[in-house]
Amino acid sequence: MAAIATTSITTALLIISTLLHFSTTAFAIGVNYGTLANNLPSPSEVASFLKTQTTIDSIKIFDTNPDILRAFANSNITVTVTVGNGDIPALVDVNTASQWVANNIKPYYPQTRIKLIAVGNEILFTGNKEWISRLVPCMKSLHQALVHAGIKDVQVSTPHTLGILHNSVQPSAARIRPGYDRVIFAPMLQFLRQTKSPLMVNPYPYFSYTPSMENYILFRPNRGVHDTSTNITYTNMFVAMMDAVYSAIKAMGYGDLDIVVAESGWPSLGDPNQPMCTVENAVSYNKNMIKVVTSGNGTPLMPKRRFQTYVFSLFNENLKPGSTAERNWGLFRPDFTPVYDVGIMRNGQSNRPTPPSPTKSKKWCVPKADATDKALQANIDYVCSQGMDCKPIQAGGACFSPNNVRSHASYIMNSYYQSHGRNDFNCDFSQTAVLTTSDPSHGTCKYN
């Protein structure tokens, strides 16, 4: 009897311990950790900061950066990694997929809690027929490679824009776009169900902003949007978007799938023609979105559900191309001070917001976020073969560090652009480059 009693007590303690664990983690939130900047802290500093100073329990990165994966070892923070869009076709081959897993997952797992592999980002939105047609086969190959490697708890999915939806003004009427529904989504949703992986979506009410819709988008009092089929009145766009996604996949027979918010957020600063980009609006949107996804109340069509959510983004990134808003989505500045407070700091820590200074008008040519190392190396080889001075990226050169293909390509591609007339077409490189108004110079490496 004593042995039975001891076992019962031990079991009870384990249950209590588990419940306490869930109670402390159920309300946690994830972030997208982008690195398109030259002023960010080291990955180890980031891991330490998130673990000790915030309640963030998960990150999503846009590559398989080995420095980040090593830094988050034994941190108890889960990591979602990303396969580059351009790598999708090759990874359809199971042997290539197995090599990818051997290079990018096995060296870090399980010390780093890699949770999910995101195959590309918003592939259907790219319009690239090769990527689109090979997306699901690539997902299947990577899953098979994981299983063969003995890794059974890493999921495989792919993030989508809400452009995948058709007829979504009333959430109950939303459907997957014709042309994608049976050819792409039917096998994809079946794969997700079989592997117990989530559907990943990027709902961005920000991109639907109009002054007349401001209160509806920013969770402020408003008349709402009425769904005549369900008699539900939606008072914010984010919840309506989530129910639209649910309606679309339920209509295909997959309403049981988990839905992950892979990206959503709001910029805190913009150009003069972007008046909606303010700290006040960013706080209103992100605080309320976090409340929705973590409260356990769910949505009208998905009651009592929580949604794993990755806020976009962790840092303001000064090398992102485009408008000022693109460089000001961060919850934090590079020195770890909060741009604003959304309730994720431990012990209620927060700093008063100080908007960053406006960007310069000069342009520099840098690699696109989804450019592969193979393509960037080809750009380096081409430019250096044209008589350009490539000594700065060689050992001992001012731009040798950091010693990686992306950094070297950035310097070389910009040198070519600056010395060939600064025309937009001089910054193309087979569509692997983009112009930015933020100076990419760093340390001793000065860009022209």
Side-chain angles (χ1 to χ4, degrees):
M1 290 295 291
I4 294 174
T6 301
T7 301
S8 299
I9 292 170
T10 302
T11 302
L13 288 172
L14 284 171
I15 292 171
I16 291 169
S17 174
T18 301
L19 289 173
L20 285 172
H21 170 72
F22 282 127
S23 71
T24 59
T25 60
F27 297 97
I29 201 79
V31 290
N32 284 272
Y33 175 9
T35 55
L36 286 178
N38 59 18
N39 57 356
L40 297 182
S42 69
S44 59
E45 291 174 309
V46 174
S48 176
F49 170 74
L50 294 184
K51 182 178 179 179
T52 62
Q53 303 298 317
T54 79
T55 58
I56 290 167
D57 74 337
S58 52
I59 63 166
K60 175 171 160 279
I61 60 176
F62 294 92
D63 49 24
T64 54
N65 186 312
D67 294 330
I68 294 177
L69 293 178
R70 279 191 291 265
F72 278 82
N74 305 310
S75 68
N76 209 34
I77 294 173
T78 63
V79 181
T80 290
V81 300
T82 302
V83 171
N85 292 358
D87 295 329
I88 288 172
L91 292 174
V92 172
D93 177 74
V94 175
N95 291 329
T96 305
S98 294
Q99 190 60 53
W100 189 92
V101 168
N103 292 340
N104 297 290
I105 304 297
K106 287 206 75 173
Y108 316 103
Y109 172 92
Q111 290 79 10
T112 300
R113 293 182 59 199
I114 300 173
K115 179 180 183 178
L116 189 147
I117 298 171
V119 179
N121 190 44
E122 301 182 344
I123 294 300
L124 301 186
F125 182 73
T126 68
N128 186 306
K129 293 181 179 179
E130 184 180 26
W131 295 352
I132 293 170
S133 65
R134 300 192 180 189
L135 176 60
V136 177
C138 176
M139 294 166 67
K140 291 179 177 179
S141 292
L142 282 169
H143 173 72
Q144 186 177 342
L146 289 167
V147 172
H148 286 171
I151 300 172
K152 298 181 180 179
D153 59 350
V154 175
Q155 300 169 319
V156 178
S157 188
T158 184
H160 303 281
T161 71
L162 265 64
I164 61 173
L165 300 180
H166 170 67
N167 197 28
S168 60
V169 175
Q170 295 195 35
S172 65
R175 297 295 182 266
I176 301 297
R177 258 182 206 287
Y180 287 144
D181 50 357
R182 296 298 165 192
V183 177
I184 304 295
F185 264 81
M188 179 189 299
L189 295 174
Q190 180 64 19
F191 166 81
L192 295 177
R193 174 184 284 166
Q194 289 174 343
T195 60
K196 296 181 173 58
S197 299
L199 176 69
M200 303 177 77
V201 294
N202 296 346
Y204 273 108
Y206 168 78
F207 291 113
S208 299
Y209 178 88
T210 61
S212 63
M213 299 286 280
E214 180 173 273
N215 290 339
Y216 179 61
I217 289 172
L218 290 170
F219 296 84
R220 293 169 182 156
N222 64 94
R223 295 177 60 185
V225 173
H226 189 68
D227 189 321
T228 56
S229 296
T230 59
N231 205 30
I232 294 168
T233 297
Y234 289 87
T235 56
N236 69 81
M237 185 178 285
F238 175 79
V239 169
M241 285 179 161
M242 294 297 286
D243 272 359
V245 172
Y246 172 77
S247 296
I249 62 174
K250 183 184 179 185
M252 295 185 68
Y254 294 93
D256 56 307
L257 291 180
D258 284 337
I259 299 174
V260 164
V261 178
E263 288 182 32
S264 193
W266 199 277
S268 60
L269 182 70
D271 290 327
N273 64 344
Q274 297 174 311
M276 76 292 280
C277 302
T278 66
V279 167
E280 181 185 11
N281 288 351
V283 170
S284 181
Y285 179 78
N286 282 325
K287 263 196 169 181
N288 284 286
M289 177 191 68
I290 290 170
K291 182 178 179 181
V292 167
V293 299
T294 61
S295 68
N297 294 328
T299 68
L301 299 185
M302 295 180 286
K304 298 181 180 179
R305 282 176 66 168
R306 291 190 176 94
F307 305 94
Q308 173 68 53
T309 296
Y310 298 87
V311 178
F312 191 88
S313 60
L314 180 55
F315 293 112
N316 286 337
E317 298 170 67
N318 67 351
L319 297 187
K320 290 191 71 177
S323 68
T324 298
E326 286 302 309
R327 291 176 288 283
N328 288 280
W329 287 84
L331 298 175
F332 297 95
R333 304 181 189 89
D335 65 356
F336 293 121
T337 57
V339 179
Y340 50 86
D341 177 24
V342 290
I344 58 173
M345 299 300 293
R346 294 190 185 276
N347 305 317
Q349 300 174 53
S350 66
N351 279 37
R352 296 177 65 85
T354 305
S357 57
T359 54
K360 299 178 181 179
S361 59
K362 184 180 176 180
K363 294 180 180 179
W364 292 265
C365 182
V366 296
K368 283 185 176 179
D370 62 355
T372 64
D373 281 358
K374 182 178 179 181
L376 296 180
Q377 184 60 56
N379 294 344
I380 294 172
D381 294 342
Y382 169 76
V383 173
C384 292
S385 72
Q386 299 300 302
M388 294 292 297
D389 180 14
C390 293
K391 291 179 182 177
I393 65 168
Q394 295 170 3
C399 297
F400 178 69
S401 294
N403 181 19
N404 59 62
V405 172
R406 177 169 289 273
S407 178
H408 291 176
S410 178
Y411 177 82
I412 290 300
M413 291 158 64
N414 179 69
S415 294
Y416 182 89
Y417 165 75
Q418 300 293 346
S419 63
H420 282 73
R422 299 188 180 93
N423 302 300
D424 287 2
F425 58 79
N426 294 131
C427 183
D428 182 71
F429 292 97
S430 300
Q431 298 183 359
T432 63
V434 68
L435 289 169
T436 179
T437 55
S438 294
D439 187 353
S441 300
H442 52 94
T444 59
C445 182
K446 304 301 181 184
Y447 283 54
N448 295 332

